[in-house]
Amino acid sequence: MTPLQLFERQTAHFKANPNPPLAHRIQRLKALREALLEHEQALTEALWKDFYKPPYEVEVTEFLTTLIELDHTLRHLASWIKPQRKPTPLVLIGTRTDVHCYPKGPSLLIAPWNYAVLLTLGPVIHATAAGCPFVVKPSEHTPHAAALLTSMIESIYPPDEGAVVMGGPETATELLALPFSHIHFTGSPRIGRIVMEAASRHLASVTLELGGKSPTYVDVSADLEAAASGICFGKFSNAGQTCIAPDYLLVHKDIAADFTRHLTDEIARAYVPGAGDADLASIVTPTHFRRQTELIDDARQHGADILTGGGADADSRRLEATVILNPSEETRVMQEEIFGPILPLVVVDNVEDALERISLRPKPLSTYVYTKDDAVVDRFSQSVRTGAVCKNTTMLQFVQPFGPFGGEGNSGIGRSHGEAGFRAFSNEQVVLRRRWGSWILRLVQPPYSPRSSWIARAFRKFT
Ligand code: NAD
């Protein structure tokens, strides 16, 4: 079926079923859960074929994370779906107001490759929970995982309710020309702009889950061993191809030497030297791989030191866990989202210096602070407009299902996960019922007279 045919079928289906019952949504979500577990082994193998993603990492960062989202939704959907009674101000006496969440309508989901399972199924879970038919386009860069996800989704949803369209930019462009009610896009800020422009033609609502440079500050008071371990996991799992990975480090000058030692020790403990460690995923395509090696070359040319790593193997597209010491502001690693296992470490004077450097860049998706001092965390929280500030940990905000998760400006628009994900696909519809007292409004209706004004002024006391 062409994208247009799918869209028309889903539109007709939605017209006939504008509010699928809770039991139906739950049934689909449970089937999705079952299919996910059934395909666990095959998906793990697919991700190995796609970019040598380590199987243990798949378990933690794909299956556990997706199941957290799925189970949270199954547990709470009944309460999210319930109409919410709102209080009645005195001026509205005699009325009752409820807010109902109804599905927005056929929705388009465009997924990235970096967490092919989690980030394709996440919006599928939320669209299903909200009762929206959907067309999902997985990324073309993880074809093995995408093929399995397609057969999984097609085994659960009839095309009127849920369908997969495979393809790259051309297919995405074709899909974006259709007047979907909501578009959920996860990917780069560059493509996010294209998506938003396309959505504006139909005034479709958007959730844009984008990326950017997430800073990590290591304070003078930090537990340096714990900081090195948390940063190492956040940065190098999935070989740094994570939207919320620490992108660059800002390290307080008084502990910089000690911390650097802890960081290199931690990398040596976690990974085998050389660019062949099976615990480090490879870079997804030769083009992406080339870009990573260019980033390292560029830093070298600007006189930065490679503290550890730097090795690369073009055949397996593997890159060593790499730390670059004090690259200048002009280097590409300090200008672009890195999205690979390269970590710039910049020594800063203090909290203010770190905040100043962060403010020079677009609003980050996440901000990490390693410190023992909550006042420092508060300082970051109040100063940086970002999706999440985490103290002494990385990545965990993603699996806090009570969320919400999302970015701001360059790092995204809207929120997803848990209830926020459900609401993104829902139209919050007010139902206001006049129960008695229809005469009240008549007091301020035409024919107007000085009395209307007197009454309107009297009403001001009851707002
Ligand atoms: P990408 O923007 O290159 O691609 C994302 C999706 O957009 C793919 O399905 C791709 O086929 C599609 N696409 C490509 N060209 C398009 C076009 N012209 N019009 C419409 N769609 C098009 O991103 P990627 O390389 O897959 O993922 C990496 C980026 O995604 C990083 O910037 C990362 O930070 C971000 N990301 C964000 C989150 C989040 O939750 N905020 C999660 C993962 C990744």
Side-chain angles (χ1 to χ4, degrees):
M1 246 185 286
T2 65
L4 176 62
Q5 284 165 336
L6 272 175
F7 176 76
E8 285 175 347
R9 277 188 66 164
Q10 294 198 347
T11 304
H13 176 79
F14 184 65
K15 198 172 163 200
N17 304 275
N19 191 26
L22 173 65
H24 181 80
R25 305 181 198 190
I26 297 275
Q27 186 273 330
R28 292 283 186 257
L29 291 171
K30 284 187 172 163
L32 192 59
R33 192 181 198 286
E34 232 168 77
L36 182 64
L37 295 178
E38 249 169 49
H39 287 76
E40 185 166 356
Q41 184 58 33
L43 278 167
T44 305
E45 285 164 19
L47 288 169
W48 181 261
K49 284 186 198 146
D50 281 333
F51 66 111
Y52 300 109
K53 178 150 176 160
Y56 291 118
E57 220 167 82
V58 174
E59 233 174 84
V60 177
T61 65
E62 296 276 16
F63 288 101
L64 178 61
T65 47
T66 309
L67 286 170
I68 288 174
E69 197 60 41
L70 200 40
D71 289 342
H72 180 79
T73 304
L74 280 166
R75 208 168 292 131
H76 295 281
L77 184 54
S79 71
W80 298 341
I81 233 170
K82 249 192 218 142
Q84 278 179 359
R85 175 74 58 83
K86 296 290 172 187
T88 305
L90 259 181
V91 73
L92 292 181
I93 194 156
T95 67
R96 188 184 107 184
T97 306
D98 297 286
V99 177
H100 295 248
C101 280
Y102 292 123
K104 283 183 176 173
S107 298
L108 173 62
L109 323 174
I110 301 181
W113 55 266
N114 62 331
Y115 289 85
V117 177
L118 171 67
L119 298 177
T120 306
L121 295 186
V124 165
I125 294 168
H126 301 133
T128 306
C132 292
F134 64 85
V135 174
V136 57
K137 193 201 81 60
S139 171
E140 66 278 25
H141 295 316
T142 36
H144 295 94
L148 272 172
L149 289 166
T150 305
S151 65
M152 246 177 79
I153 289 171
E154 287 179 350
S155 72
I156 298 165
Y157 298 87
D160 302 4
E161 274 184 47
V164 185
V165 173
M166 302 265 263
E170 274 175 27
T171 310
T173 307
E174 198 183 340
L175 286 163
L176 283 171
L178 300 169
F180 284 98
S181 300
H182 184 73
I183 302 174
H184 182 110
F185 170 80
T186 310
S188 58
R190 183 176 71 82
I191 307 288
R193 285 190 187 88
I194 297 174
V195 170
M196 194 154 169
E197 213 176 304
S200 75
R201 273 180 240 131
H202 306 294
L203 295 177
S205 56
V206 290
T207 308
L208 301 181
E209 292 290 355
L210 310 179
K213 293 182 80 61
S214 294
T216 301
Y217 173 63
V218 185
D219 189 36
V220 68
S221 71
D223 174 337
L224 300 184
E225 196 181 334
S229 150
I231 289 167
C232 215
F233 174 71
K235 179 68 192 185
F236 299 116
S237 53
N238 217 36
Q241 300 165 112
T242 305
C243 56
I244 50 170
D247 184 273
Y248 61 103
L249 299 182
L250 300 168
V251 181
H252 193 289
K253 62 179 181 345
D254 292 353
I255 45 90
D258 269 359
F259 173 72
T260 304
R261 188 171 40 78
H262 281 287
L263 186 62
T264 45
D265 285 355
E266 179 61 23
I267 290 173
R269 192 193 62 78
Y271 301 107
V272 180
D277 189 343
D279 283 348
L280 252 178
S282 72
I283 307 300
V284 71
T285 69
T287 312
H288 289 76
F289 175 80
R290 239 182 343 268
R291 180 177 161 268
Q292 293 296 316
T293 54
E294 283 167 12
L295 292 183
I296 297 177
D297 292 345
D298 172 78
R300 276 203 182 104
Q301 278 157 20
H302 279 85
D305 282 336
I306 309 296
L307 184 66
T308 181
D313 175 48
D315 288 340
S316 63
R317 305 186 310 277
R318 280 202 166 100
L319 208 71
E320 262 183 298
T322 300
V323 179
I324 300 180
L325 202 54
N326 273 324
S328 63
E329 279 297 325
E330 307 83 66
T331 53
R332 287 180 62 188
V333 283
M334 292 309 288
Q335 296 287 330
E336 303 171 19
E337 178 182 6
I338 294 171
F339 221 61
I342 305 172
L343 184 58
L345 187 159
V346 176
V347 178
V348 296
D349 291 339
N350 48 33
V351 170
E352 296 312 315
D353 186 12
L355 287 171
E356 175 60 24
R357 288 169 194 260
I358 293 169
S359 74
L360 299 175
R361 298 182 165 74
K363 296 163 187 161
L365 185 54
S366 297
T367 301
Y368 302 110
V369 184
Y370 280 86
T371 181
K372 290 198 181 97
D373 185 352
D374 269 318
V376 171
V377 181
D378 293 341
R379 188 80 187 84
F380 275 82
S381 173
Q382 284 160 21
S383 308
V384 186
R385 288 292 71 82
T386 180
V389 172
C390 299
K391 177 191 174 193
N392 295 341
T393 188
T394 55
M395 314 265 267
L396 289 190
Q397 74 278 25
F398 197 93
V399 286
Q400 161 50 291
F402 290 95
F405 180 87
E408 165 73 11
N410 193 68
S411 55
I413 292 179
R415 289 292 180 268
S416 61
H417 294 200
E419 185 171 359
F422 162 81
R423 287 189 182 277
F425 287 92
S426 301
N427 177 40
E428 292 182 271
Q429 199 160 299
V430 167
V431 180
L432 188 148
R433 301 166 211 258
R434 161 73 67 198
R435 293 188 302 169
W436 54 268
S438 305
W439 55 270
I440 300 174
L441 203 59
R442 263 188 242 131
L443 296 174
V444 288
Q445 285 175 354
Y448 296 124
S449 67
R451 194 191 65 160
S452 321
S453 159
W454 183 85
I455 289 168
R457 278 165 191 277
F459 274 170
R460 289 184 191 183
K461 297 195 176 70
F462 303 109
T463 51

